[in-house]
Amino acid sequence: MSQPPAKTLTAVQAAILAWFKAESRELPWRSTRDPYSIMVSEVMLQQTQVDRVIPVYHAFLKLFPTFQSLADAPAADVIRAWAGMGYNRRAMNLQRAAVQVTSLYEGVLPDDMKSLRGLPGVGEYTAAAMACFALGQEVVVIDTNVRRVLGRVFYGPSGAPDKSIASTAAQALPEGEAWSWNQALMDIGATICTSRRPTCLLCPVRSDCKAAGTFLSSSNSVAEIRAAYKTKPERFEGSSRYYRGRVVAHLRELSDGVSCDLQSLGLVVKPDYTDDDEPWLLTLLQGLQRDGLVALNDQGAKTEVALPL
Ligand code: SF4
């Protein structure tokens, strides 16, 4: 796919940066450059929406204000502080990353992509986000929103393959403005150029966007075209993630040092639980144990379950 002309790039950059200056959302992690706080926010935002992240982010930083304090905290306290976020494995990865930063890098977030990628729970996107937002590096940050916005603007309603988007994103990055540019694209993707209903009339780049004409001309076309971005929704209730969440939610309610046996835990997480479900529950718990989210204590014929300390 051919790259957009320089004139279009310049116009899009100017429009997006001007829009961001006037309209950007006030988010707590945007008013800090503290690498630890930004890492916490990035991990929280990986799979949880902004509104749910904000209160947990503030409370989490109050309890664990530094890499060192998080690294030293009992795992059970970190898991409790993650309540309401879902995908609890991230809490343990974040704590493991804090341990790594304190033990390998003297408590300072490393500034090269290879070391960032080596931190537990940090994939390509999060590493790039930390490089840009926490360390001030001039790098592209491509998440789902950015991919969608750039795809529509420069290629049309159906977007473009990841390779083309990556190359266009690198070309479009305005010099010295990576922080604002990446934040702006994410804001536009989250609030205006949404997957289901892009509101092109409010969009700062509608006059240069290759998809705007299609979306503005017919409301039906949005539903048709969004098939290009659609992923099949995963059924949550009854899924392994659902039961894992229920186990951790119940254990969070127990005081330190208190555990529960398989039978009572099974009945809490699955009301129609029977003895036949025990192998299923044990497999689920072993997965949670591998992720550092539960501690299993075999006491002869009985297994007791609790949060890890
Ligand atoms: S003009 Fe419409 S399709 Fe293009 S980026 Fe803006 S909201 Fe998205």
Side-chain angles (χ1 to χ4, degrees), residues 149 152-153 188 192-194 198-200 203-206 209-212 215:
V149 174
R152 285 174 174 171
V153 172
I188 291 175
I192 297 177
C193 190
T194 58
T199 44
C200 303
C203 186
V205 290
R206 64 185 177 279
C209 176
K210 284 197 169 171
F215 288 134

Side-chain angles (χ1 to χ4, degrees), residues 26-287:
E26 271 184 36
L27 300 172
W29 41 89
R30 284 185 178 164
S31 59
T32 178
R33 294 294 181 273
D34 171 46
Y36 169 71
S37 305
I38 291 168
M39 179 164 182
V40 170
S41 74
E42 284 301 331
V43 173
M44 288 184 167
L45 290 164
Q46 281 170 353
Q47 281 143 321
T48 310
Q49 292 190 336
V50 166
D51 291 354
R52 276 172 60 203
V53 166
I54 290 174
V56 183
Y57 168 80
H58 286 303
F60 196 92
L61 288 184
K62 213 167 176 185
L63 282 171
F64 316 114
T66 59
F67 282 117
Q68 189 69 58
S69 59
L70 180 59
D72 293 344
D77 289 357
V78 179
I79 295 167
R80 287 196 185 97
W82 203 260
M85 301 288 291
Y87 294 97
N88 296 301
R89 192 188 307 181
R90 288 178 297 166
M92 289 298 90
N93 278 336
L94 185 57
Q95 187 177 39
R96 288 177 185 139
V99 169
Q100 204 160 306
V101 170
T102 51
S103 60
L104 293 184
Y105 307 111
E106 298 177 344
V108 178
L109 193 67
D111 62 3
D112 64 287
M113 288 300 263
K114 193 169 171 230
S115 303
L116 288 171
R117 284 294 305 269
L119 297 173
V122 174
E124 194 176 336
Y125 162 77
T126 305
M130 291 197 297
C132 181
F133 304 141
L135 300 166
Q137 295 177 9
E138 295 291 306
V139 294
V140 293
V141 182
I142 304 176
D143 71 352
T144 315
N145 284 333
V146 173
R147 192 175 294 117
R148 184 173 61 252
V149 174
L150 293 178
R152 285 174 174 171
V153 172
F154 293 115
Y155 296 94
S158 302
D162 286 354
K163 212 171 153 193
S164 302
I165 296 289
S167 152
T168 300
Q171 204 192 343
L173 190 70
E175 212 182 320
E177 297 281 2
W179 190 94
S180 299
W181 173 253
N182 288 318
Q183 296 277 3
L185 287 176
M186 286 177 193
D187 264 13
I188 291 175
T191 60
I192 297 177
C193 190
T194 58
S195 171
R196 286 158 191 261
R197 294 187 185 283
T199 44
C200 303
L201 281 175
L202 300 177
C203 186
V205 290
R206 64 185 177 279
S207 56
D208 289 296
C209 176
K210 284 197 169 171
T214 308
F215 288 134
L216 284 165
S217 65
S218 162
S219 56
N220 290 337
S221 60
V222 176
E224 290 159 16
I225 290 154
R226 86 180 171 85
Y229 298 96
K230 202 165 69 173
T231 50
K232 208 172 172 196
E234 195 185 314
R235 193 171 162 265
F236 178 58
E237 197 158 326
S239 66
S240 167
R241 187 162 72 81
Y242 171 78
Y243 287 114
R244 283 170 56 100
R246 286 178 68 87
V247 167
V248 174
H250 178 62
L251 298 179
R252 266 194 194 110
E253 302 299 320
L254 305 180
S255 307
D256 279 344
V258 176
S259 58
C260 66
D261 59 48
L262 290 181
Q263 172 80 10
S264 54
L265 179 63
L267 284 167
V268 169
V269 300
K270 189 172 182 276
D272 58 353
Y273 181 85
T274 67
D275 287 346
D276 292 344
D277 291 317
E278 192 172 302
W280 161 80
L281 183 59
L282 264 175
T283 304
L284 193 80
L285 291 170
Q286 283 157 357

